[in-house]
Amino acid sequence: MALTDKRKYDCIVLGAGIQGSFTAYHLAKSKKRTLLLDQFPLPHSRGSSHGQTRIIRRAYAEDFYTDMMDECYQLWADLEKESGTQLLRKTGLLVLAQSGNKGYEQICKNMEQKQIPREILSEAEMKQRYPGLSLSPGDVACLDSNGGVLYADKALRAVQMLFQQMGGVICDGEKVMHIKPGPVVTVTTTTRMYETDRLVITAGPWAHKVLRLLGLELPLKTLRINVCYWKEKIPGRSGILQNLPCFLGVNLNGENHEVYGLPSKEYPGLTKICFHGGNEADPDERDLQTQKLKIQDISRVSNFISQYMPGLHPKPVVVEQCMYTNTPDENFILDHHPLHKNIIIGAGFSGHGFKLSPVVGKILSELCTGEKRSYDLKPFQISRFKIPLKSAL
Ligand SMILES: Cc1cc2nc3c(=O)[nH]c(=O)nc-3n(C[C@H](O)[C@H](O)[C@H](O)COP(=O)(O)OP(=O)(O)OC[C@H]3O[C@@H](n4cnc5c(N)ncnc54)[C@H](O)[C@@H]3O)c2cc1C
Ligand SMILES: O=C(O)[C@@H]1CCCCN1
């Protein structure tokens, strides 16, 4: 039988990935008595926030993300200062595409309108600066000068540590099994029962399963992502690893997919290059490759490497797993539960939420405390999906 925790919390945050941890951090800053819960002992590598690196960039086609990034850069710098840890390395981020590509043009237009520091690089400039990346005739490149790498594991640790230093409580290794809505929400885990005025659900790829406990079915797809590392054909000689920026290929080859890469340092001598997509998988069965793979993601990256990075072996030497939780439009969900206004949902980060987590956490904490919202939340509302509401409760 679950033990009852006698304290009533102002807020409980369900899920201690980067989004829940940043939400808890902002709530603790606003002096709310906050509990952060996770099903696994922390840290863990079963969700979406593990691994050493993530891309940070302002280069987005949607201006609302670019707008949020100004404050994100500021909050990442604050976190570095508060934790005394370097969390960001500026490398630049290259957006690569075939000339005339609409997505690329929209990104460039948005960056120009917002006066984001950037450079359009000619074929000759690309060759000279980034000899490891050989573009094909007709390809174009735009550098987001302040793009770079976020140290993901370190960032997650820093936010959780600062949350605890502000008096926040973390209970890990406790899976939430039941949620009873009401003016006071009761949350029952595998070991305890808690009461709270407000609940924030940031359950990553488990969001679907947790929201089902509250009668809410959102159009979320969970994808298993193969995180691939590649080695040089002639180690240390091709110069690829020394001077590589982050890059994002937008529909290169005319194929409807994206390949991206980061100059990561987790495995000396290897470069991380992945496909921005994957095959559907249940997060609890991530490592059981039971179904037939619909998307040959690794071979797409191999093809990209053969054409664009011929200095690398076109076979990965390390492959790890991570999860995406995608919405149909790949925009986030940041909203109240449609029926229970003191339950707040942050979900569907669609493979691009890490860099934005400082502001996502701020927004979710504002939804929780009822403070004035810092951003227009229209793109993130649940009502855009036109789903029928079944109140199971
Ligand atoms: C391979 C890969 C590359 C990426 N690259 C980038 C990038 O370059 N730049 C970028 O900005 N973003 C990137 N992202 C996206 C980013 O990492 C995610 O958007 C972000 O980590 C999502 O965090 P989250 O907190 O929503 O989810 P998670 O980190 O999965 O956290 C959810 C937590 O909820 C817990 N939980 C779930 N159910 C329960 C329950 N019932 N009880 C208790 N706890 C529960 C889970 O255990 C988990 O810890 C990438 C993602 C992947 C997978
Ligand atoms: O959020 C990002 O910047 C990257 C882009 C490529 C795919 C993974 N996420």
Side-chain angles (χ1 to χ4, degrees), residues 285-302:
E285 295 178 7
R286 188 193 70 185
D287 303 322
L288 309 175
Q289 308 232 352
T290 44
Q291 338 71 329
K292 201 170 170 293
L293 299 184
K294 282 203 198 121
I295 298 174
Q296 299 300 325
D297 50 348
I298 299 182
S299 57
R300 287 182 182 182
V301 186
S302 293

Side-chain angles (χ1 to χ4, degrees), residues 67-233:
D67 289 342
M68 289 159 85
M69 282 311 300
D70 277 343
E71 190 175 5
C72 285
Y73 271 99
Q74 185 52 53
L75 292 174
W76 282 119
D78 291 350
L79 188 69
E80 286 186 309
K81 226 192 263 161
E82 288 170 28
S83 64
T85 316
Q86 186 193 349
L87 299 174
L88 197 158
R89 183 163 75 94
K90 185 169 139 177
T91 61
L93 170 112
L94 273 173
V95 184
L96 308 169
Q98 283 185 329
S99 173
N101 177 277
K102 292 277 174 284
Y104 173 86
E105 282 174 0
Q106 183 55 38
I107 292 174
C108 293
K109 192 170 143 211
N110 185 29
M111 290 180 79
E112 193 183 326
Q113 275 172 359
K114 302 277 174 194
Q115 301 187 324
I116 307 300
R118 72 201 177 283
E119 285 180 74
I120 304 291
L121 300 178
S122 68
E123 219 182 306
E125 284 165 323
M126 278 293 296
K127 256 195 191 128
Q128 197 224 337
R129 277 205 222 174
Y130 307 119
L133 265 169
S134 51
L135 295 194
S136 300
D139 287 343
V140 284
C142 172
L143 183 76
D144 173 352
S145 310
N146 290 319
V149 175
L150 282 169
Y151 297 133
D153 284 338
K154 284 189 184 173
L156 186 59
R157 213 178 310 141
V159 191
Q160 291 173 353
M161 180 192 79
L162 290 166
F163 167 65
Q164 285 176 305
Q165 283 175 5
M166 290 185 282
V169 179
I170 298 182
C171 289
D172 60 352
E174 287 190 39
K175 181 171 176 175
V176 172
M177 307 299 285
H178 300 288
I179 301 169
K180 188 163 160 259
V184 172
V185 182
T186 307
V187 175
T188 309
T189 71
T190 32
T191 49
R192 283 196 191 80
M193 203 153 92
Y194 302 96
E195 290 189 332
T196 180
D197 290 331
R198 297 180 188 259
L199 172 68
V200 183
I201 297 174
T202 45
W206 289 270
H208 205 222
K209 297 189 183 196
V210 172
L211 292 170
R212 212 173 265 159
L213 301 174
L214 290 161
L216 186 59
E217 290 278 348
L218 293 179
L220 294 170
K221 274 193 180 151
T222 50
L223 308 180
R224 173 181 41 240
I225 305 300
N226 286 310
V227 180
C228 303
Y229 295 84
W230 313 74
K231 73 172 181 196
E232 286 174 288
K233 284 181 180 159

Side-chain angles (χ1 to χ4, degrees), residues 55-57 60 248 258 260 276 324 351-353 355:
I55 293 173
I56 181 164
R57 60 184 160 111
Y60 262 98
L248 179 54
E258 294 173 0
Y260 65 97
H276 177 49
Y324 279 7
H352 65 108
K355 68 184 89 54

Side-chain angles (χ1 to χ4, degrees), residues 330-342:
E330 297 193 11
N331 290 326
F332 308 159
I333 294 168
L334 307 172
D335 206 347
H336 295 275
H337 185 290
L339 300 177
H340 311 296
K341 297 296 171 194
N342 58 348

Side-chain angles (χ1 to χ4, degrees), residues 14-21 37-40 42 44 46-50 53-56 60 150 174-177 202-207 210 213 225-227 260 262 272 274 322-324 346-347 349-356:
L14 187 169
I18 195 66
Q19 311 298 3
S21 299
L37 283 173
D38 206 281
Q39 62 186 336
F40 298 122
L42 300 175
H44 73 86
R46 312 291 319 162
S48 304
S49 301
H50 60 283
T53 52
R54 294 289 188 280
I55 293 173
I56 181 164
Y60 262 98
L150 282 169
E174 287 190 39
K175 181 171 176 175
V176 172
M177 307 299 285
T202 45
W206 289 270
V210 172
L213 301 174
I225 305 300
N226 286 310
V227 180
Y260 65 97
L262 296 81
K272 177 163 153 180
C274 311
C322 191
M323 296 295 298
Y324 279 7
F349 294 100
S350 306
H352 65 108
F354 207 98
K355 68 184 89 54
L356 286 142

